[in-house]
Amino acid sequence: MLILECPYCGVKAEETELSPGGEAHLKRFGPGSSPEEFEDYMFARQNPKGVHFERWRHSYGCGKWFLAARCTATLEVFGTYPAQSSEPPAELVEKIKAKRPQWKGWK
């Protein structure tokens, strides 16, 4: 079972208490974008096996959105951080690199 700690209320919640929100740190395209930009945003994802940054909502808790870094192959959670972050915290990136030296980075 996946367990994530909400960075706002500090509760360690099972995934049944959370709602997934998809990939984090995407540039979103909406009204005014070209059809190609919107299509890429909606459908073109790399989705490699390994470390991902995802959006989660603490649905049955404080109700706030937050971001999490986890490995899709092992379900190892590296950490969580506030949803307003434009990029993962440096200490989280270093933690991932220490455990996964072959990891190329978050972008």
Side-chain angles (χ1 to χ4, degrees):
M1 169 129 334
L2 187 62
I3 298 175
L4 299 172
E5 183 175 345
C6 178
Y8 298 104
C9 64
V11 171
K12 290 187 179 184
E14 295 179 356
E15 62 188 295
T16 56
E17 297 178 38
L18 307 167
S19 298
E23 190 175 347
H25 304 295
L26 289 177
K27 180 175 181 179
R28 289 171 166 72
F29 291 95
S33 63
S34 72
E36 293 79 18
E37 288 173 326
F38 187 70
E39 179 183 15
D40 284 347
Y41 162 68
M42 286 295 291
F43 304 110
R45 297 286 196 279
Q46 297 272 335
N47 201 24
K49 182 168 65 172
V51 178
H52 280 251
F53 295 93
E54 303 169 323
R55 299 172 67 230
W56 289 88
R57 182 173 178 260
H58 194 183
S59 303
Y60 294 98
C62 66
K64 294 185 178 181
W65 285 93
F66 63 92
L67 305 177
R70 73 176 184 97
C71 179
T72 58
T74 63
L75 296 183
E76 178 181 5
V77 176
F78 295 100
T80 60
Y81 53 103
Q84 294 78 17
S85 305
S86 60
E87 59 184 50
E91 61 272 6
L92 181 58
V93 171
E94 291 305 315
K95 182 178 179 181
I96 296 167
K97 286 181 179 177
K99 289 189 173 187
R100 303 275 195 290
Q102 74 283 5
W103 187 59
K104 300 293 184 216
W106 75 276
K107 283 190 175 186

